[in-house]
Amino acid sequence: MTETEDKKILLVIPAYNEGEGIVDNIKVVEDYKKQSPYHLDYVVINDGSTDNEEEVLRAHNINHVELIQNLGIGGAVQTGYMYAFENNYDIAVQFDGDGQHDIHSLPQLLEPIINDEADFTVGSRFIDDSNSEFKSSKSRQMGIKILSFLIYTTSKIKIQDVTSGYRAGNRKVIEQFVKRYPRQYPEPETYMHLFAQNIRVKEVGVRMFERTTGVSSINMIKGVNYMISVSLSIIASSLLGGEKV
């Protein structure tokens, strides 16, 4: 058995009101598993959905955890990390349930961890080796650049796609996120804490798509509030040595 085959890998798939498309997205995962070199499983975290998602998950016998109330993306993802910890997975991968993440980019996320080059990897649309045609809107790209610059000025670590939810962590990261995972702004906030804990982070190029189902919860007004709140959180976290997250 190779080292790749020996690693137990879990896709953590947070999903809120994704009843319309979750079956198709899980089929993509199942089809990939058939030709994948990895020991790969998945768990859907139904984050208190108010549509028919739970009924769909049960009807199609899709492995999932049902949260009785909506915890938000941070709480849902942390639930997935807890599932990975309790079931002795070596690597946990955050994978969206709305069709945005390309399952065929999984090797780019996993190989640096399997080869012990990194503890945590970030799938990026913006670095040179990314083949992603979808880059998000111009306004969101600008916001991402601002947050990236802010993280760099406070930590001297450069992450270009700081809001990417396509990420993977080894057992050390799983154990860390079980103890503490930010609820409101998990993607940018986690970096401050990871850097403070000397966890090796590597950004890798991946492919992403526009979401196939559902609607983004962030509009223009919410986007401005998000930028202000995340920026303040990053600054506070840097002053506290990463302990805030």
Side-chain angles (χ1 to χ4, degrees):
M1 181 178 292
T2 67
E3 187 175 3
T4 295
E5 293 170 329
D6 188 47
K7 297 289 186 183
K8 288 182 60 180
I9 299 163
L10 178 71
L11 294 184
V12 174
I13 307 176
Y16 176 68
N17 288 350
E18 297 291 351
E20 177 186 353
I22 193 66
V23 173
D24 289 340
N25 290 325
I26 293 301
K27 185 179 185 303
V28 170
V29 172
E30 293 285 5
D31 288 344
Y32 181 80
K33 284 178 60 177
K34 295 174 184 177
Q35 49 88 35
S36 168
Y38 307 114
H39 179 162
L40 184 65
D41 297 318
Y42 72 85
V43 61
V44 174
I45 310 298
N46 177 8
D47 188 21
S49 296
T50 57
D51 66 353
N52 67 336
E53 181 181 311
E54 181 62 23
E55 290 80 3
V56 170
L57 292 170
R58 293 185 182 185
H60 290 84
N61 198 29
I62 292 173
N63 185 43
H64 70 284
V65 173
E66 180 187 9
L67 301 179
I68 61 174
Q69 66 181 43
N70 178 252
L71 298 182
I73 185 63
V77 170
Q78 187 178 37
T79 300
Y81 278 109
M82 291 176 177
Y83 183 100
F85 177 78
E86 293 171 358
N87 290 279
N88 298 312
Y89 283 94
D90 299 295
I91 301 173
V93 182
Q94 298 171 220
F95 188 82
D96 280 358
D98 58 14
Q100 287 194 1
H101 297 159
D102 181 12
I103 190 68
H104 295 283
S105 292
L106 193 60
Q108 288 92 297
L109 283 172
L110 294 177
E111 293 308 311
I113 297 175
I114 292 172
N115 295 332
D116 197 29
E117 299 167 2
D119 302 306
F120 190 74
T121 53
V122 186
S124 176
R125 295 162 286 184
F126 304 130
I127 64 176
D128 291 340
D129 61 348
S130 170
N131 62 350
S132 183
E133 296 180 4
F134 173 65
K135 305 290 187 182
S136 192
S137 66
K138 294 296 183 182
S139 60
R140 290 195 181 190
Q141 287 187 55
M142 180 59 67
I144 290 168
K145 287 181 180 179
I146 292 171
L147 294 178
S148 175
F149 175 76
L150 187 56
I151 289 176
Y152 178 74
T153 57
T154 54
S155 69
K156 301 305 178 186
I157 301 296
K158 183 66 174 179
I159 299 291
Q160 294 188 49
D161 204 345
V162 294
T163 63
S164 170
Y166 199 4
R167 317 191 302 174
N170 63 11
R171 187 71 182 179
K172 180 179 180 181
V173 171
I174 292 171
E175 293 173 355
Q176 187 62 55
F177 284 165
V178 166
K179 297 175 185 175
R180 175 179 293 163
Y181 193 81
R183 295 298 179 95
Q184 285 189 300
Y185 318 110
E187 285 84 13
E189 281 191 29
T190 48
Y191 296 116
M192 306 305 297
H193 182 60
L194 292 174
F195 299 147
Q197 300 299 318
N198 295 315
I199 288 174
R200 299 169 299 167
V201 178
K202 183 175 182 177
E203 190 170 20
V204 298
V206 299
R207 187 181 184 190
M208 295 190 195
F209 311 107
E210 290 191 71
R211 63 189 300 143
T212 57
T213 59
V215 178
S216 174
S217 62
I218 300 179
N219 55 30
M220 181 64 72
I221 296 176
K222 287 184 178 179
V224 172
N225 290 335
Y226 174 88
M227 285 296 301
I228 294 172
S229 299
V230 175
S231 298
L232 291 174
S233 179
I234 290 171
I235 294 170
S237 181
S238 67
L239 295 174
L240 294 173
E243 290 303 312
K244 185 176 184 295
V245 299

